[in-house]
Amino acid sequence: MAAITTTEERDEGGDLLLWVLVWGELAAFGILLTGYVVMSMLHPESFALAKLHLAPRLAGLNTVVLLASSWQAALAVSSKGKPRLQRLFLLGAAFLGFLFVALKFAEYSSEWAATGDENLQTFFELYFLITGFHLAHVAFVGLLFVLAAIRLDRSTIVMLTTIWHVIDIVWLVMFPLIYLS
């Protein structure tokens, strides 16, 4: 006799679509970061020079903001049965995600001037591609958090929070690779 699975049990992260998204995101960022590492080995001097134009302290602050946002998302999941709290935590996660975006644009504005140097072009093309792709994910899922706060659905909250954690993991790999190495 087969066990009957309730909707709530399936919503706890077992959806095939969720895992396809997670592994797809990890593969895409894995390819981009592998390309970055290969190019940094082929052009170590220009990459080292280009990194002098980055703002690692601002990126470090952004790391804290992103992790705080992820914490808010996790609190939304754990606030099952408390819709007011879930909404507040989802909106908190979205707000901090949008703060990440704003800080990243402030960081970009200071780095953009260095893109005119032809010797640094390879680094900055990869840098803006990788961090911009990540930034697009943060902005998009932030918007989805706002929508999820309007129409609470446990499976949606779990899925968005899982994707948000994947976005965090990607940033936690990108940050030391790009800013600290």
Side-chain angles (χ1 to χ4, degrees):
M1 178 182 257
I4 298 174
T5 305
T6 67
T7 302
E8 194 164 302
E9 288 171 352
R10 282 193 316 264
D11 291 344
E12 293 301 321
D15 292 335
L16 179 61
L17 173 62
L18 173 63
W19 295 109
V20 168
L21 286 170
V22 166
W23 286 108
E25 292 300 312
L26 291 174
F29 278 104
I31 290 166
L32 288 170
L33 292 172
T34 299
Y36 175 88
V37 169
V38 168
M39 293 306 289
S40 70
M41 287 185 212
L42 295 174
H43 306 282
E45 300 84 18
S46 67
F47 271 54
L49 185 59
K51 286 182 180 189
L52 296 175
H53 297 281
L54 299 181
R57 286 187 181 174
L58 189 53
L61 173 63
N62 239 355
T63 301
V64 173
V65 168
L66 192 61
L67 291 174
S69 177
S70 195
W71 176 56
Q72 292 292 299
L75 289 173
V77 170
S78 68
S79 296
K80 179 180 170 182
K82 299 175 186 169
R84 185 175 181 276
L85 276 178
Q86 281 186 310
R87 282 188 176 89
L88 286 173
F89 290 136
L90 288 169
L91 293 173
F95 172 78
L96 290 168
F98 298 144
L99 179 59
F100 178 95
V101 171
L103 290 170
K104 194 68 188 155
F105 277 121
E107 184 183 343
Y108 282 165
S109 69
S110 69
E111 297 160 349
W112 194 254
T115 61
D117 186 336
E118 200 172 293
N119 296 324
L120 309 179
Q121 192 171 13
T122 301
F123 172 85
F124 280 109
E125 285 175 356
L126 285 169
Y127 170 77
F128 285 118
L129 175 68
I130 294 167
T131 60
F133 189 50
H134 181 267
L135 184 68
H137 282 77
V138 171
F140 181 68
V141 178
L143 287 171
L144 293 178
F145 275 141
V146 171
L147 294 175
I150 294 168
R151 184 178 173 269
L152 292 176
D153 175 68
R154 177 141 178 89
S155 64
T156 301
I157 295 168
V158 169
M159 181 165 47
L160 290 176
T161 300
T162 303
I163 295 295
W164 200 248
H165 292 327
V166 170
I167 292 168
D168 279 354
I169 290 168
V170 167
W171 180 259
L172 291 173
V173 171
M174 279 177 19
F175 175 69
L177 184 65
I178 292 174
Y179 292 92
L180 305 178
S181 64

